[in-house]
């Protein structure tokens, strides 16, 4: 009887692994390089649902008010790609290194940290 229960338990755990959503980013760091003061500070991170269940982005949270983020609010089907658009305020001269927290229902990587970095200069 114990063997039977263990078999059912492991089979059930295996079934859960088959229906998992996962998030995979093309890159987790966006290098702006040198950017002129007041220039367009918008960039895009691309990701894919590499699992076999719908992926939901629950929250995308920039670390400070100088950065904004826009992300898909609808679930992404397995194999589907999406984008997170980030914007950095390029009116402040100097180096920047900012993070954006991504919270999703992914089983393995439910919290990912994206990073944008570069340097705003007076003139190019």
């Amino acid at each position: 009887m114990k063997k039977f229960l263990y078999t059912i338990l492991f089979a059930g755990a295996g079934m859960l692994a088959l229906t998992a959503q996962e998030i995979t980013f093309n890159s987790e760091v966006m290098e702006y390089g040198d950017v002129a003061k007041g220039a367009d500070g918008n960039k895009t991170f691309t990701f894919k649902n590499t699992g076999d269940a719908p992926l939901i982005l629950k929250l995308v949270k920039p670390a400070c008010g100088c950065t904004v983020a826009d992300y898909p609010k609808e679930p992404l089907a397995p194999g589907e790609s999406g984008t997170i658009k980030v914007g950095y305020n390029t009116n402040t001269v100097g180096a920047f290194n900012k993070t954006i927290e991504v919270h999703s229902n992914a089983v393995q990587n439910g919290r990912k940290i994206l990073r944008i970095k570069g340097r705003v200069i007076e003139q190019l």
Side-chain angles (χ1 to χ4, degrees), residues 24-114:
T24 304
F25 284 89
N26 288 355
S27 174
E28 294 178 23
V29 177
M30 185 70 61
E31 294 278 352
Y32 279 61
D34 287 344
V35 180
K37 181 179 178 180
D40 181 11
N42 295 311
K43 299 287 184 180
T44 303
F45 287 94
T46 303
F47 65 94
K48 185 174 186 177
N49 179 357
T50 52
D52 57 4
L55 175 70
I56 299 168
L57 297 186
K58 298 175 183 179
L59 176 68
V60 176
K61 180 181 168 189
C64 73
C66 60
T67 308
V68 294
D70 184 34
Y71 61 98
K73 311 303 189 275
E74 300 298 321
L76 275 81
E80 202 171 39
S81 292
T83 59
I84 297 174
K85 297 175 187 169
V86 297
Y88 179 74
N89 180 356
T90 60
N91 287 319
T92 303
V93 174
F96 62 92
N97 187 351
K98 305 295 179 183
T99 60
I100 299 105
E101 280 186 59
V102 178
H103 297 266
S104 72
N105 67 336
V107 174
Q108 299 254 338
N109 297 307
R111 179 179 173 266
K112 296 289 273 185
I113 301 292
L114 303 178

